[in-house]
Amino acid sequence: GGIIGVTPQFFSALSACFLSIFKRKPFIMILCDLWPDSIASNKLIKKGVFFRILKKLELFMYRKASVIAILSPNFREYLNQCNIDNSKIVDFISGPSKSFSVKDEKKKQALLIKYNLHKKLVIGYMGTFGISHNHEDLIEVFKTLTREDIHLFMIGDGAKKDDLIALINKHKLSNVTVDGPISAADCPYYWSVCNISIIPLAPTETNKTVIPSKILEGMKIGLPTILYTPKGEATRFFSESEACWHVESGNVEALSEFIENLSIEMISEKRKNALNFSKKFSRESQAKILIDSMCEIYKKEKVCEKI
């Protein structure tokens, strides 16, 4: 067996790394974000002494890891530049479990009533309200939106959640909901009240390298996606799905125009594509890839069989 650490958060992965040393266990790192570069890119830290210390800790983790599972193929090039060998890098784009579905229609109906979403075209976001995101632009769009039938439904938690709620209250927006967090078991039901999903990533260099895997949850329910992101790995990866539209992050005017012209017909055309694409990335199949990679590297087939 081994000890798994996930970044972000950076210090969670670092704690797992140190624990693996203390326990004398292999360290498996799941790399979802290039931290600390991402916080520097978002201007939350200057590239001074503290940043250089964090970079040394980052490199320390990569070297100590026996397996590095990467959420974006772009990370492989970055790791190679850090002199990390390809042999311990594994592509790991994990989607939802095969059991991720709406089993109780009454729960869905209850949510539609609770949030007053009947007869609305609902644009959904579920995940982190974090520093690398650009939810403020979504609020700007909905401040001036002329259509009364479109609702922005955002569920999650994070550093910027309270600020977003304050913005909504300040502008007295009835067409935007922010709530959460919710349990993992409830996620399919919250997605099911949406017609389409949106991913708002800030226009930074590091965001050009990431693939937001949360999109796959929405696709599992049949939701096409608006990628409000910088052009990069996410647009490349999800272009294969034929279930997305891309609007360049930071272009509020273009996003506003796109949302003003949304229709159920546009969304319905891509619904089947979303469902089909999500099937390629079940949590079970990706977990098997990770376990198989661990077995190959550690040559502990007997341990892996028990997993």
Side-chain angles (χ1 to χ4, degrees):
I3 294 173
I4 298 175
V6 182
T7 177
Q9 297 294 329
F10 180 84
F11 293 105
S12 171
L14 187 61
S15 298
C17 179
F18 286 138
L19 184 62
S20 72
I21 296 170
F22 178 73
K23 294 281 190 180
R24 297 182 180 180
K25 297 284 186 180
F27 172 48
I28 300 98
M29 186 175 185
I30 299 180
L31 185 61
C32 303
D33 193 9
L34 297 180
W35 210 96
D37 290 64
S38 60
I39 59 169
S41 183
N42 283 284
K43 299 179 180 179
L44 293 178
I45 185 175
K46 292 182 179 179
K47 291 189 176 181
V49 175
F50 184 55
F51 176 79
R52 290 194 292 273
I53 292 171
L54 291 176
K55 289 294 288 181
K56 288 182 181 296
L57 288 172
E58 176 197 22
L59 189 59
F60 172 78
M61 283 195 290
Y62 296 154
R63 289 172 175 166
K64 283 293 180 183
S66 298
V67 175
I68 304 175
I70 56 174
L71 200 64
S72 167
N74 193 276
F75 293 170
R76 185 181 294 273
E77 182 180 346
Y78 173 79
L79 290 169
N80 290 160
Q81 289 172 358
C82 295
N83 294 317
I84 304 303
D85 195 271
N86 259 323
S87 64
K88 66 177 183 180
I89 304 171
V90 179
D91 290 323
F92 187 73
I93 301 169
S94 182
S97 169
K98 291 177 181 178
S99 63
F100 191 90
S101 61
V102 175
K103 300 179 180 67
D104 184 352
E105 190 66 24
K106 289 181 181 178
K107 288 182 72 172
K108 174 182 175 178
Q109 293 303 318
L111 289 175
L112 288 169
I113 294 168
K114 177 181 178 180
Y115 294 105
N116 193 26
L117 298 177
H118 280 292
K119 298 182 180 179
K120 300 282 187 180
L121 195 163
V122 181
I123 300 175
Y125 171 84
M126 298 204 197
T128 304
F129 299 118
I131 58 172
S132 64
H133 296 88
N134 199 6
H135 299 94
E136 295 86 352
D137 278 9
L138 305 190
I139 302 296
E140 284 298 310
V141 168
F142 277 78
K143 273 169 54 179
T144 57
L145 197 69
T146 61
R147 290 179 57 177
E148 296 181 358
D149 63 321
I150 299 181
H151 195 92
L152 178 60
F153 186 60
M154 300 194 290
I155 302 295
D157 204 1
K160 297 200 300 187
K161 181 185 174 185
D162 290 342
D163 292 339
L164 291 173
I165 292 173
L167 266 179
I168 293 165
N169 292 337
K170 176 183 176 181
H171 298 291
K172 299 178 181 178
L173 300 180
S174 60
N175 57 358
V176 181
T177 297
V178 171
D179 203 356
I182 60 173
S183 70
D186 285 337
C187 280
Y189 295 96
Y190 278 79
W191 277 124
S192 72
V193 301
C194 304
N195 301 99
I196 186 172
S197 70
I198 189 165
I199 292 293
L201 292 181
T204 64
E205 286 301 311
T206 51
N207 276 344
K208 292 179 181 179
T209 69
V210 302
I211 294 177
S213 59
K214 272 284 183 181
I215 295 174
L216 294 167
E217 283 191 3
M219 286 188 171
K220 184 74 162 57
I221 304 296
L223 305 185
T225 299
I226 303 168
L227 294 170
Y228 185 58
T229 65
K231 190 174 182 180
E233 198 62 30
T235 51
R236 182 204 63 78
F237 179 78
F238 285 106
S239 66
E240 299 173 15
S241 72
E242 297 185 356
C244 296
W245 300 269
H246 178 241
V247 179
E248 190 70 29
S249 181
N251 193 339
V252 178
E253 185 177 338
L255 180 63
S256 181
E257 183 180 355
F258 181 85
I259 290 175
E260 287 278 9
N261 291 291
L262 266 178
S263 68
I264 292 295
E265 289 74 25
M266 286 170 58
I267 295 167
S268 297
E269 285 177 5
K270 293 186 180 291
R271 179 176 169 81
K272 186 176 179 181
N273 294 340
L275 288 166
N276 288 336
F277 189 73
S278 70
K279 293 175 183 176
K280 302 177 184 179
F281 302 99
S282 73
R283 186 161 298 170
E284 290 84 357
S285 63
Q286 296 301 301
K288 186 178 186 304
I289 290 171
L290 181 58
I291 291 169
D292 287 349
S293 299
M294 290 165 60
C295 290
E296 185 178 336
I297 292 169
Y298 305 138
K299 300 187 176 187
K300 294 180 179 179
E301 287 83 0
K302 290 182 181 179
V303 173
C304 291
E305 283 171 10
K306 293 179 182 178
I307 295 174

